[in-house]
């Protein structure tokens, strides 16, 4: 994202603080990295050490240097389009960037193309099948008029899959906060619970998780689902029950984002006195 550390001798720019976008832990110490001065980095997508993308304004690392793609200056996006904040890719030549005001941009390894989404709702999560042929995107706006949408892309064609104009509308799932796709199922986190949709058989199932609203959702299998909750909590589903495994011991903590991969979970957030928090957990076997 964007965070500041004390710079006692003011050698950076005379403010007494230095700005960074990322912190890398090598097992012994932290390394602080600056990709973009004065702008937050919203997400990162890693193919290899020589092929890394970050979003806010897309930038690519080829192992030697960063290349910036200012989509507005390039004529890909208009001034009214939002920034692209989330990335999903099936391969280096099949990438999607989504973000504010319903913005979707596709990258084919050479060129960027804007995809008309049909919505102005801020898009906040994306996942797809390994071959890239089916993709789901969800988003919501909290500020009135509050709305939520799920878009479905099949072979590059967009359709509105779900829409609600009240984040807690009775008789609906409510807003969709995050999603995760596994096999022929896509899982959505909603106020009603975890909504699982079988897109091959077109069957929906809802699982109550006791009112916990999740900021991110990661599905490893039907009986191994991980969610991060808004107060920096970590919850797990074993196929029968949902259980809160961990919650940071801060009364006032906010959740910004997280990821789960290869048995390692990481959450990032902040305390309300503006201290950054990183929590890392390991999946017991």
């Amino acid at each position: 994202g964007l965070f500041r550390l004390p710079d006692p001798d003011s050698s950076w720019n005379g403010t007494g603080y230095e700005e960074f976008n990322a912190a890398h832990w090598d097992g012994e110490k932290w390394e602080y990295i600056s990709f973009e001065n004065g702008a937050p980095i919203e997400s990162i997508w890693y193919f290899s050490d020589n092929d890394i993308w970050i979003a806010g304004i897309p930038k690519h690392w080829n192992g030697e240097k960063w290349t910036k793609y200012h989509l507005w200056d390039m004529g890909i996006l208009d001034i009214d389009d939002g920034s692209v904040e989330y990335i999903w890719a099936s391969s280096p030549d099949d990438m999607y960037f989504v973000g504010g005001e319903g913005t979707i941009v596709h990258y084919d390894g050479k060129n960027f193309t804007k995809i008309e989404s049909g919505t102005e709702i801020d898009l906040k999560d994306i996942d797809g099948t390994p071959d890239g042929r089916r993709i789901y995107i969800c988003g919501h706006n909290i500020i009135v008029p509050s709305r939520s949408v799920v878009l479905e892309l099949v072979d590059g064609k967009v359709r509105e899959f779900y829409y609600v104009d009240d984040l807690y509308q009775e008789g609906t799932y409510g807003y969709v906060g995050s999603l995760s796709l596994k096999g022929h199922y896509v899982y959505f986190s909603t106020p009603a619970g975890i909504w699982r949709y079988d897109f091959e058989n077109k069957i929906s199932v809802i699982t109550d998780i006791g009112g916990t609203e999740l900021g991110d959702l990661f599905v490893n299998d039907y009986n191994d689902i991980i969610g991060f909750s808004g107060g920096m909590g970590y919850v797990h589903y074993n196929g029968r029950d949902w259980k809160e495994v961990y919650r940071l011991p801060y009364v006032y903590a906010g959740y910004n984002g997280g990821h789960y991969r290869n048995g390692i979970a990481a959450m990032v957030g902040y305390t309300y006195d503006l201290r950054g928090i990183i929590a890392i957990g390991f999946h017991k076997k």
Side-chain angles (χ1 to χ4, degrees):
L2 178 65
F3 60 92
R4 298 176 176 89
L5 294 178
D7 180 27
D9 61 6
S10 296
S11 58
W12 186 60
N13 64 1
T15 63
Y17 293 90
E18 187 170 359
E19 292 183 346
F20 298 93
N21 300 118
H24 174 246
W25 175 253
D26 66 5
E28 296 182 358
K29 64 182 183 301
W30 289 102
E31 174 193 6
Y32 302 110
I33 305 167
S34 181
F35 301 126
E36 181 74 28
N37 292 338
I41 300 303
E42 302 292 347
S43 60
I44 183 168
W45 191 272
Y46 173 94
F47 291 110
S48 70
D49 288 351
N50 300 323
D51 192 358
I52 303 172
W53 286 86
I54 58 177
I57 295 175
K59 296 185 76 172
H60 179 250
W61 173 255
N62 65 2
E64 296 181 358
K65 66 177 182 178
W66 287 97
T67 300
K68 183 177 182 178
Y69 297 92
H70 198 291
L71 301 178
W72 294 265
D73 291 349
M74 295 166 62
I76 308 299
L77 296 180
D78 300 326
I79 191 170
D80 295 331
D81 294 319
S83 61
V84 288
E85 299 171 355
Y86 303 91
I87 309 171
W88 180 84
S90 66
S91 69
D93 57 5
D94 184 28
M95 301 186 65
Y96 289 84
F97 300 80
V98 303
E101 302 292 332
T103 301
I104 305 175
V105 175
H106 181 253
Y107 179 66
D108 66 4
K110 295 181 179 179
N111 301 304
F112 292 90
T113 304
K114 178 183 175 181
I115 297 175
E116 295 296 338
S117 68
T119 184
E120 295 181 351
I121 297 173
D122 295 340
L123 303 177
K124 298 180 180 294
D125 203 1
I126 176 171
D127 201 2
T129 55
D131 61 8
R133 296 190 62 182
R134 180 182 292 268
I135 298 165
Y136 289 90
I137 304 169
C138 69
H140 60 274
N141 289 349
I142 295 177
I143 299 174
V144 176
S146 57
R147 299 170 293 162
S148 183
V149 71
V150 176
L151 304 176
E152 182 185 62
L153 280 72
V154 179
D155 294 330
K157 296 181 180 180
V158 182
R159 79 176 182 97
E160 185 182 279
F161 174 74
Y162 172 77
Y163 173 85
V164 65
D165 57 11
D166 182 335
L167 300 190
Y168 296 90
Q169 185 171 321
E170 190 173 346
T172 72
Y173 299 111
Y175 78 94
V176 176
S178 59
L179 61 87
S180 182
L181 194 149
K182 182 71 174 181
H184 55 90
Y185 297 101
V186 58
Y187 296 75
F188 304 101
S189 66
T190 78
I194 301 300
W195 168 23
R196 187 186 74 183
Y197 177 67
D198 178 345
F199 52 77
E200 284 192 357
N201 299 300
K202 297 181 172 53
I203 298 172
S204 290
V205 176
I206 190 76
T207 301
D208 183 11
I209 60 174
T212 301
E213 295 184 24
L214 302 178
D216 279 300
L217 184 67
F218 299 94
V219 177
N220 299 309
D221 210 331
Y222 75 95
N223 61 350
D224 187 10
I225 302 176
I226 290 159
F228 299 144
S229 63
M232 295 289 280
Y234 176 98
V235 298
H236 182 261
Y237 180 65
N238 63 8
R240 184 179 63 250
D241 303 307
W242 281 90
K243 179 181 179 181
E244 184 172 87
V245 178
Y246 182 76
R247 180 172 293 275
L248 281 175
Y250 296 94
V251 176
Y252 302 108
Y255 170 79
N256 271 0
H259 198 70
Y260 180 87
R261 185 175 181 178
N262 298 331
I264 300 175
M267 291 186 287
V268 296
Y270 57 92
T271 61
Y272 289 156
D273 58 357
L274 300 183
R275 291 182 294 143
I277 304 171
I278 299 175
I280 301 175
F282 303 90
H283 203 160
K284 292 181 180 179
K285 294 185 179 180

